[in-house]
Amino acid sequence: MMAIPARRASTLLAGTISCFRGLNISSHGATKAVVATANTNYFKTLPSASSFHTSARRLGLMEFFDDKKNWGEQEVKVGRAWKLDELRIKSNEDLHKLWYVLLKEKNMLLTMEHACKEEFQLFPNPERIDKVEESMKNLEAVVQERNKAYWLLETGETGERPGTKVKDELGRLVYKRFTEHVVPVWMHKQSKESMHQGAAMRRFQRYMREKRAIESRRYRRRIRNHVCGLLRRFPNANLESIQEQFPEVDVGRQRFARRSRGNHRNIA
């Protein structure tokens, strides 16, 4: 199974906890596995870091497999994903440890899922992978918040790479961050101008606009039907609250629609 890199999260954490002095994360006698000082804005890994573990140490490749008591089970009781509010109150050291705990859990779940597919067996609770990914996404969002706050306090800037909306190869507007290129812009300007031209490209862009219009129309119709259903079931509901919750729909107009009347005849 391919290992999942954690370089991005480690880089963000390094910039966040650089103001702390003498931060040591260790296990099994590794007293100076990771050191961050106020003078250096990076992690310094010592030779003893190889003994750093975030969970109980096992022998062999059993780290990539679930507990044996869960093998062959139809259902495994698990909790929910970590929320943003819960992660915001944790320290940087706890977030650093939790990231690798979630990373090991995700590797284990992916290995068990692959093994179950190879053996034509049911993988219990596949939503566990989604919960771990959601937790990692929330953890990274919290680290980015702290990293932005640190750089705004020190330099007045977010510290992130700027970007802008550009057209991709298919003519769609996407957000891309600025990157350095070896070839100057004036050397490939001609190819950029002719990239979004041609009959096939124009036909594709027309289909994309049509698809977005159909999805938008379906979304508005679905919200309108939901509001009409609320008015039909609750004729005395507060219209201002419904309008505030669904600003896409004109509640005052839909109140007199036929699908909103229900069994009551008179509407005050």
Side-chain angles (χ1 to χ4, degrees):
M1 186 191 65
M2 183 180 296
I4 303 174
R7 182 183 304 173
R8 183 179 180 185
S10 299
T11 305
L12 294 174
L13 283 169
T16 307
I17 69 173
S18 61
C19 59
F20 293 89
R21 185 182 301 273
L23 175 62
N24 298 326
I25 304 176
S26 61
S27 179
H28 300 287
T31 57
K32 294 183 179 181
V34 181
V35 179
T37 62
N39 298 327
T40 58
N41 192 12
Y42 58 92
F43 281 101
K44 183 178 180 181
T45 305
L46 300 179
S48 58
S50 58
S51 61
F52 169 68
H53 287 269
T54 57
S55 61
R57 188 172 183 178
R58 303 177 183 175
L59 300 178
L61 298 177
M62 294 306 297
E63 292 275 0
F64 289 92
F65 294 92
D66 198 0
D67 195 351
K68 290 185 178 181
K69 65 181 181 181
N70 296 330
W71 292 6
E73 295 292 336
Q74 298 295 327
E75 184 179 359
V76 179
K77 294 182 179 181
V78 294
R80 56 171 175 79
W82 286 87
K83 296 182 179 180
L84 289 172
D85 296 336
E86 297 173 346
L87 295 172
R88 288 192 179 103
I89 61 177
K90 289 189 173 295
S91 62
N92 295 316
E93 181 179 358
D94 294 337
L95 292 179
H96 195 186
K97 292 180 180 179
L98 180 59
W99 173 266
Y100 287 101
V101 171
L102 294 172
L103 182 62
K104 292 178 65 176
E105 184 72 13
K106 184 177 181 180
N107 286 335
M108 182 272 293
L109 293 175
L110 293 177
T111 303
M112 293 298 298
E113 183 183 27
H114 179 74
C116 291
K117 289 182 179 180
E118 291 291 329
E119 298 295 333
F120 300 99
Q121 295 182 2
L122 178 64
F123 177 62
N125 298 85
E127 68 275 4
R128 289 184 290 173
I129 301 178
D130 299 332
K131 293 180 180 179
V132 172
E133 291 179 349
E134 181 181 357
S135 301
M136 298 179 71
K137 181 180 179 181
N138 293 338
L139 193 151
E140 190 173 1
V142 172
V143 173
Q144 288 179 351
E145 291 177 358
R146 298 185 182 183
N147 194 45
K148 288 181 181 179
Y150 171 77
W151 285 107
L152 286 173
L153 181 63
E154 294 292 332
T155 63
E157 298 179 356
T158 59
E160 294 188 346
R161 187 172 52 184
T164 185
K165 288 186 177 181
V166 297
K167 289 186 176 181
D168 60 356
E169 292 77 5
L170 300 178
R172 300 171 299 182
L173 285 176
V174 296
Y175 182 83
K176 288 187 177 181
R177 298 187 181 276
F178 295 146
T179 56
E180 295 183 359
H181 297 276
V182 180
V183 181
V185 179
W186 59 269
M187 295 184 64
H188 54 79
K189 183 177 181 181
Q190 185 177 0
S191 60
K192 288 286 185 180
E193 293 177 353
S194 60
M195 181 180 298
H196 311 297
Q197 298 180 3
M201 185 60 62
R202 289 193 296 269
R203 184 168 58 254
F204 172 79
Q205 293 176 359
R206 185 172 64 253
Y207 289 158
M208 287 295 298
R209 290 194 297 268
E210 181 181 359
K211 180 181 179 181
R212 287 194 294 265
I214 293 175
E215 292 178 352
S216 177
R217 186 166 60 251
R218 289 177 178 175
Y219 171 76
R220 293 195 303 269
R221 185 186 301 121
R222 185 166 60 251
I223 297 298
R224 184 194 61 190
N225 294 338
H226 180 66
V227 170
C228 292
L230 291 177
L231 296 176
R232 183 172 61 253
R233 292 191 300 270
F234 309 100
N236 298 325
N238 189 355
L239 300 182
E240 296 181 358
S241 300
I242 299 178
Q243 184 65 59
E244 183 179 358
Q245 186 176 1
F246 304 99
E248 303 89 350
V249 183
D250 188 359
V251 180
R253 181 180 178 182
Q254 295 300 326
R255 181 168 177 249
F256 298 96
R258 180 179 299 178
R259 66 183 65 191
S260 302
R261 294 180 182 178
N263 296 326
H264 54 281
R265 296 180 179 179
N266 298 326
I267 299 180

